[in-house]
Amino acid sequence: MSNTTRAKEFVVPMLIAALFILGCKLSNQTNSNRTIPVSSSNTETPKTTPPPTTAEADGVIPSGTGVEKMKPAAGKGNVQGKAFYNEQPAVGVEVRLCEKFNQFYGGCSGETFKTKTDSAGEYLIKDVPPRVYEGLTVQVFNTRYYVFATSGIVRNAKYKIAADQTFFAPDTHLFKQDLKLLNPKAGSKIGGSDIEVKWDAYPEAAYYKFSIFADTASGATVNYDFINKRVDGLSYALDKPLSPGSYTCKVDAFNGNDIKLAQSSNEMKFTVTGGATK
C-alpha cells in the first residue's frame, strides 16, 4: 500500500471525527437557548420547616430578626411575632405576654399584656417595660387551650425584652386538642396483651404519632418502642404486652411538612390489669 493511500485512510476518519465534535458543540449551544419542559412535580418550591429556636442556658429564648412594624416608645420594648395553623395564618387569636407564668398552676400572672393577630397572623405587643418575662402564649382559636411561642420547645420559656428594641418571637404553630382516640378508652381496664391503639382520621393529616406513657408509681413499665411511634394509618397493634399498671395514651396528627395539627386529650388514661379485658 502506497504512502498516499495510507495518508488518505488516516485523514478521512479524523475529518469525520472533527465534524462530529463540531456538530455536538453547535447542538449544545443551540439547546442552551431552548426552553426545556419540566415536570410539574419539580416546579414547586419544596416547603421546609424552620429549625426550632434554641433556649440559652438560663432558659431565655433569644430574639430573632425581622422588620419592625413600629418603634417602641422611649425606654420601652415591643414584641412582634406570627401565629399559624396548618401553615396558614391564624387570624384573630389572642396573644399574651406574662410577667410570671406557672405551667402547672395558675398560668399567666403578674403584669400581663394582650393583643390579637391580624389577617396575616401577625401580632405586635407595644411599649412593655423591659425585663425578663416568663410566658408568651397564643390561644388556640376560641378554646381554653394555648401554645407557647417557643418554636418546638414543649414547655414555657423566658423572653428578655430590652429597652428601645423589638423582640422578634419564634413563629408559633397552633395545634388543636380534638383528635378522637377510640381505643383504649378513657378509664378502661384491659388485659396487657393484644392491645390495639385506634383513632379517628384527622382532616389534612398525613401521618400520626402515638405514645403510651407509664405511671411507674403504679407498677407500669415504660416501653420506649411505644413513645412517638409513627403510624401512617389509623391504628397500631402493640407487638409487646404491657405490664399491669396505669398508662396514658396520646396521639398526635401531623401534616406532610411535619407540622403538628392536633393531639388527643391528655386525660386518656387506662389501666392494665393483667387479666382479661373488662
Side-chain angles (χ1 to χ4, degrees):
M1 183 181 294
S2 68
N3 291 334
T4 303
T5 303
R6 288 175 180 172
K8 287 181 179 180
E9 291 176 346
F10 176 78
V11 170
V12 171
M14 291 295 293
L15 286 173
I16 293 173
L19 289 172
F20 176 77
I21 293 170
L22 179 61
C24 289
K25 289 183 176 179
L26 290 173
S27 175
N28 286 338
Q29 290 173 357
T30 303
N31 287 337
S32 66
N33 295 323
R34 293 179 184 172
T35 301
I36 301 175
V38 179
S39 170
S40 60
S41 62
N42 293 328
T43 58
E44 297 179 356
T45 302
K47 296 180 179 179
T48 57
T49 303
T53 301
T54 303
E56 296 174 350
D58 56 0
V60 173
I61 295 288
S63 174
T65 58
V67 178
E68 286 185 320
K69 287 179 170 291
M70 182 184 298
K71 291 286 185 182
K76 303 288 186 179
N78 286 350
V79 178
Q80 193 172 313
K82 300 177 183 178
F84 301 90
Y85 175 73
N86 196 14
E87 300 181 274
Q88 299 301 314
V91 179
V93 295
E94 184 179 82
V95 182
R96 290 187 180 190
L97 178 67
C98 312
E99 180 184 3
K100 301 292 182 182
F101 194 92
N102 188 313
Q103 185 173 348
F104 305 103
Y105 180 78
C108 193
S109 63
E111 194 168 12
T112 302
F113 301 87
K114 301 179 184 178
T115 190
K116 287 193 174 184
T117 57
D118 61 17
S119 60
E122 300 180 356
Y123 62 87
L124 174 64
I125 302 176
K126 299 182 293 184
D127 302 334
V128 302
R131 64 163 72 99
V132 174
Y133 290 82
E134 294 184 355
L136 180 60
T137 65
V138 183
Q139 187 177 9
V140 183
F141 301 104
N142 60 347
T143 71
R144 62 185 179 88
Y145 301 107
Y146 52 81
V147 172
F148 299 120
T150 53
S151 185
I153 303 172
V154 297
R155 57 180 175 80
N156 61 304
K158 298 177 182 178
Y159 308 83
K160 186 176 183 179
I161 310 305
D164 306 314
Q165 295 183 22
T166 292
F167 179 91
F168 292 94
D171 290 350
T172 304
H173 290 274
L174 303 182
F175 56 87
K176 300 180 181 180
Q177 300 205 23
D178 56 355
L179 190 153
K180 188 175 181 181
L181 182 64
L182 302 177
N183 192 66
K185 296 184 181 299
S188 62
K189 295 181 179 181
I190 61 177
S193 301
D194 302 321
I195 298 173
E196 186 173 16
V197 182
K198 296 181 181 180
W199 53 90
D200 269 349
Y202 200 84
E204 300 187 67
Y207 68 93
Y208 303 85
K209 289 183 179 180
F210 80 87
S211 296
I212 296 179
F213 302 106
D215 178 4
T216 54
S218 70
T221 304
V222 178
N223 189 322
Y224 291 101
D225 290 341
F226 304 144
I227 303 293
N228 284 329
K229 178 74 173 181
R230 174 172 172 152
V231 181
D232 293 329
L234 299 177
S235 65
Y236 186 86
L238 305 190
D239 54 2
K240 298 177 183 177
L242 297 180
S243 60
S246 298
Y247 296 85
T248 301
C249 184
K250 184 168 77 74
V251 181
D252 299 324
F254 295 85
N255 70 12
N257 288 321
D258 305 320
I259 300 296
K260 186 174 174 177
L261 302 178
Q263 70 178 32
S264 59
S265 168
N266 290 325
E267 304 302 318
M268 304 306 292
K269 298 179 181 180
F270 64 98
T271 301
V272 171
T273 63
T277 302
K278 295 183 179 180

